[in-house]
Amino acid sequence: MSDVESEPRPGWAGRVAVSSGPGAFAYVPEQVVTTEPDRARELAVDLFPQNEIHVDELQNARGRYSRLRRVPDVPLFVRHLRAFGVQAQPNHVFFAHCDDPCCGRPHPALRCGGAGGAGANPVYASPVYASPVYASPVYASPVYASPVYASPVYASPVYASPVYASPVYASPVYASPVYASEYLATGRRASSARPVTPADAAELAKALGLVEAPKKAGEPDVVVLDTGLSCQGTFRPTALANLKSLVTPGGGAAQAQDVPDAVPVPPDTLLDPAAGHGTFIAGLVERVAPGAAVEVWRVLQPEGDGDEVGIAWAIESLPRRDARGAILNLSFGGHVLDHPEVIAAAVRTAQANGYVVVASAGNDGVCRKTYPAALPGVVSVGAIGPGGPAPFTNFGPWVRACAPGVDLLSTFFEDFKGAATALDPHHPDPDDFDGWARWSGTSFSAPVVAGALAHQMLAYGLSAQEAVAKVIDGPSLLRLDDLGTVVNVL
């Protein structure tokens, strides 16, 4: 079975460790993955004579890998094994979306004039989406013309503070001092999802309400591996409840359930940091590709973390597809010690089985590669906003596409009112949700691209690979340096 725990623990204390020094990465404590378990156990005696190392064969890796448990110092042991020619790596941890001056390249947001408006840069002029399809009311949402983007919020000190270099928008590897103590110790932080006004949601609710769901959707066009789907009880968004034959939980509702407050145990009546992540993504895909069949599986914890072995198991468990193929959306990632061979092997298997893999590039504002986005053949996605490249997006030659990822509107928990309160009477309640939310991050740029690919498949009868050739790789498409092809469909 998957490594995702059936009983969530309070935070990720004991579940996630972070290496120190340059090239930091997150990993599961005391676990090493190797292809030579017997040789590894022999070599363990040199370093850890007092420890008994346990070995598990990983069924998801089809006999290729084994997992060693009770390893006292994972980075040291991996280096030791590699010195003797033994293939080994940590069991990396990825996050639903680290600051690292890795290459000295200026951020794309600075190259595009920083805070310039949409008319000051070419991002919103891509000819690919000038067709009548994308001029229809479904795609003509007023989100980017709303007063939200003309308000002083985006010029306030809030957006110049350490918050945007903090784990609110990234993984704990590069946590700022503001959050480091409690966040790194427990994994607990506030969710960055924000409620919306009824007026904000009205047009999108109407558009999704017009989507006709067939009696049986058949195989999914888009598979999402994430925090699961809100599909039971009073928390399920009305918009998704009306599309229950299209937007479905992978493995059944109980296994894929996405709820607002699962940890700590007992719950604290606060919205969990990554709660609703998968539900939000499902709505985005349906918004961009109305009528697409979407299946959402749970591989991430409520705090947003998921380990490489468990995620790889889920990827390799997906069924083989026919020549038409399907889209696999992975809105998570992280930095690694060297190369994440376990998830790389799983992604290769998925690609061979007919899936086009789309993955978010990360929210750290750096050019250091994140995985699985930087794996070969993956459509890695950065974020743009109303003024061009989003200041938080990761970037580099390894990023193949970019899409809207700032203040997006999508489906969220219905009728959830948490314990958090407004700063003062002039601010809205920060965790009073009624089926919709606004959220920012490359986590949400990725499903925009996944939806654009699915739309091409549905509208024009293309295969998944043909959709990539048209939407991502077409020679005449608008591109940004270090952010790839602009896929602006919102």
Side-chain angles (χ1 to χ4, degrees):
M1 60 178 292
S2 167
D3 273 17
V4 174
E5 299 174 3
S6 58
E7 295 295 332
R9 298 173 60 183
W12 57 45
R15 201 169 67 221
V16 178
V18 179
S19 67
S20 59
F25 60 92
Y27 61 96
V28 178
E30 299 189 346
Q31 292 189 14
V32 169
V33 181
T34 180
T35 56
E36 301 178 55
D38 295 336
R39 178 61 173 151
R41 290 182 69 175
E42 293 175 4
L43 293 170
V45 176
D46 299 337
L47 294 180
F48 317 118
Q50 304 302 319
N51 292 79
E52 182 181 358
I53 306 299
H54 293 242
V55 178
D56 301 327
E57 182 175 316
L58 300 182
Q59 295 179 353
N60 63 300
R62 295 184 173 86
R64 294 191 296 270
Y65 301 101
S66 295
R67 175 172 49 193
L68 278 59
R69 297 182 181 267
R70 299 184 63 183
V71 177
D73 188 328
V74 168
L76 175 64
F77 190 44
V78 168
R79 290 194 297 269
H80 185 68
L81 292 178
R82 291 179 175 181
F84 283 88
V86 177
Q87 181 179 338
Q89 66 163 80
N91 183 6
H92 295 103
V93 173
F94 302 124
F95 299 88
H97 303 133
C98 281
D99 180 291
D100 182 11
C102 57
C103 62
R105 302 164 72 92
H107 194 281
L110 301 177
R111 304 176 212 167
C112 288
N121 68 76
V123 170
Y124 293 89
S126 174
V128 174
Y129 297 98
S131 71
V133 173
Y134 286 90
S136 71
V138 174
Y139 293 92
S141 167
V143 171
Y144 284 92
S146 74
V148 172
Y149 288 91
S151 74
V153 172
Y154 282 84
S156 75
V158 172
Y159 286 82
S161 74
V163 170
Y164 277 81
S166 78
V168 171
Y169 289 89
S171 77
V173 175
Y174 294 97
S176 74
V178 174
Y179 294 89
S181 57
E182 180 179 359
Y183 180 58
L184 285 178
T186 67
R188 296 299 295 164
R189 58 176 169 83
S191 172
S192 55
R194 297 182 290 113
V196 305
T197 65
D200 285 331
E203 184 166 337
L204 180 55
K206 180 181 178 180
L208 289 180
L210 296 175
V211 177
E212 295 184 4
K215 294 181 180 180
K216 184 177 181 181
E219 289 189 309
D221 303 297
V222 181
V223 176
V224 177
L225 301 188
D226 213 272
T227 59
L229 180 69
S230 181
C231 50
Q232 289 183 333
T234 60
F235 295 134
R236 184 171 190 176
T238 300
L240 294 184
N242 294 335
L243 299 175
K244 61 183 179 181
S245 64
L246 278 177
V247 183
T248 59
Q255 291 82 0
Q257 185 65 272
D258 189 6
V259 297
D261 183 23
V263 293
V265 179
D268 56 7
T269 68
L270 293 172
L271 183 65
D272 293 336
H277 198 260
T279 301
F280 193 93
I281 286 170
L284 282 174
V285 174
E286 205 59 53
R287 176 181 175 184
V288 178
V294 183
E295 190 173 84
V296 187
W297 292 76
R298 181 174 179 261
V299 299
L300 301 181
Q301 298 285 352
E303 290 90 359
D305 60 300
D307 71 278
E308 183 176 357
V309 167
I311 292 169
W313 176 88
I315 294 173
E316 291 196 345
S317 299
L318 297 175
R320 180 181 293 274
R321 302 303 299 265
D322 58 20
R324 178 174 177 268
I327 312 300
L328 174 59
N329 187 90
L330 308 177
S331 284
F332 52 80
H335 301 301
V336 302
L337 174 61
D338 181 22
H339 185 72
E341 185 52 44
V342 175
I343 197 169
V347 166
R348 289 194 297 268
T349 297
Q351 291 166 334
N353 285 342
Y355 294 88
V356 164
V357 181
V358 177
S360 49
N363 305 339
D364 317 301
V366 301
C367 58
R368 181 183 172 190
K369 291 181 179 180
T370 62
Y371 294 89
L375 291 173
V378 171
V379 179
S380 46
V381 185
I384 55 176
F392 57 77
T393 188
N394 288 349
F395 63 99
W398 54 279
V399 179
R400 292 180 64 186
C402 55
V406 176
D407 215 31
L408 299 190
L409 172 66
S410 189
T411 49
F412 206 64
F413 297 115
E414 194 87 32
D415 194 26
F416 175 76
K417 183 175 177 59
T421 57
L423 296 174
D424 58 59
H426 301 290
H427 287 78
D429 189 319
D431 59 358
D432 185 1
F433 294 93
D434 193 23
W436 307 94
R438 287 194 185 278
W439 222 340
S440 297
T442 60
S443 274
F444 312 121
S445 304
V448 171
V449 171
L453 296 174
H455 171 80
Q456 293 292 316
M457 295 170 66
L458 294 171
Y460 304 108
L462 303 181
S463 70
Q465 290 290 351
E466 289 171 337
V468 171
K470 182 176 180 180
V471 176
I472 307 299
D473 296 336
S476 62
L477 300 176
L478 174 67
R479 291 179 172 82
L480 296 177
D481 288 344
D482 290 329
L483 280 176
T485 303
V486 177
V487 182
N488 181 41
V489 295
L490 289 178

